[in-house]
Amino acid sequence: MMRTSMLLAAGLGLVANPMVRLVLGPKWFDAIPVIQILAIAGTFRVLTGNSRAFLFVIKRPHLATALTTAGAVLSIALLPYAVWAWGIIGAGWARAAAAGVLLLINYVIICRICEVPVRSVCATVWRPVMGCLVMAAAIDSLARYWPPGDTVSSLFVALSCAVVLGASSYAATTLALWRLAGAPAGAEQRLFGMIREYFDARRAGGLSGKA
C-alpha cells in the first residue's frame, strides 16, 4: 500500500505538465510547478503515513500528537518567509521541507523505540525510492526531448507516453534491484506469487475443460 501511494504521489508530480495542460487548460498553467512541489511533499507524507497509527498501536499516542504538532509548527514557521521570498512556489517548498524534516524525525523515533537498525529500514524503502528516481529521470528525459504540444491530441499522447514510460521504468527498476538483492521477501515476492497463482489457476481451468 505504501509503495502504491508513493508511486502515485510521485507520478502525479511527474506528469503534472501534460495533465494540467490537457485537463484544466491554460488558466492553470501557473499551478504546474506548485503541483510538482506538492507531489514531493506528498511522497514524504506517504512515507510517514503509517507511523501515526503505529504509535497508537504501541500505546505512544503522545508521540503521535507531538509529531503532528511539530509538523504543523514547522510548516507555519517556514511559510511566511517562503511566501514573501518566492510567492506561491515558496509555500509549496515550505510544505515539502516540513514534510521532509518530519519524515526524518519519524524514522529516528520509531527506530529508537523498536530498536530497529537504520539499515533495516533502508532495506525496505531503497528499492521503491530508486524506482521513483529512475522514473523521474525517464519522464524528465521524455519531456526534454519530446515536449508536449498545444493540441489536445498531442497532449494526450504525451501524457499517455509519460504514464507508460514512468510505470514501466519503475517496475523494471524495482524488479531488477529485487533480483540483484537476492529476491528477499517483500512486495515483489508477493506480486510474483499472485501472478503464479493466477496462471496456475488458468492452467488448471484449461486442463479441467479439456477433460
Side-chain angles (χ1 to χ4, degrees):
M1 186 65 180
M2 183 196 74
R3 291 189 177 196
T4 303
S5 301
M6 184 173 66
L7 175 61
L8 291 175
L12 177 64
L14 292 170
V15 302
N17 189 354
M19 183 181 68
V20 170
R21 291 174 181 272
L22 176 64
V23 177
L24 300 178
K27 292 183 179 180
W28 291 87
F29 285 179
D30 291 340
I32 293 174
V34 179
I35 294 174
Q36 292 171 331
I37 296 168
L38 290 179
I40 298 173
T43 303
F44 290 152
R45 291 179 67 86
V46 165
L47 290 172
T48 59
N50 294 328
S51 62
R52 182 179 174 85
F54 174 75
L55 290 172
F56 274 98
V57 169
I58 63 173
K59 302 185 186 305
R60 303 287 181 89
H62 61 285
L63 288 177
T65 303
L67 287 169
T68 302
T69 304
V73 170
L74 183 59
S75 183
I76 292 171
L78 293 173
L79 199 59
Y81 176 77
V83 172
W84 175 78
W86 301 290
I88 192 171
I89 301 294
W93 280 119
R95 292 291 301 274
V101 172
L102 195 62
L103 169 66
L104 294 176
I105 296 174
N106 266 273
Y107 276 98
V108 168
I109 290 176
I110 291 176
C111 286
R112 288 189 175 181
I113 291 174
C114 300
E115 298 181 354
V116 176
V118 175
R119 65 176 180 272
S120 298
V121 177
C122 293
T124 302
V125 301
W126 77 278
R127 291 193 300 274
V129 169
M130 288 300 299
C132 285
L133 291 176
V134 172
M135 176 177 68
I139 294 178
D140 182 67
S141 298
L142 176 66
R144 288 176 183 274
Y145 294 104
W146 187 24
D150 295 324
T151 63
V152 173
S153 58
S154 63
L155 288 170
F156 179 79
V157 170
L159 178 60
S160 301
C161 290
V163 170
V164 172
L165 177 62
S168 58
S169 60
Y170 176 87
T173 301
T174 53
L175 290 177
L177 293 175
W178 176 67
R179 293 293 296 177
L180 289 173
E188 297 89 350
Q189 189 181 65
R190 291 193 295 272
L191 175 61
F192 274 104
M194 292 170 60
I195 294 173
R196 190 179 300 111
E197 289 177 3
Y198 171 78
F199 282 107
D200 288 344
R202 289 290 301 270
R203 191 180 301 111
L207 292 175
S208 62
K210 290 180 180 179

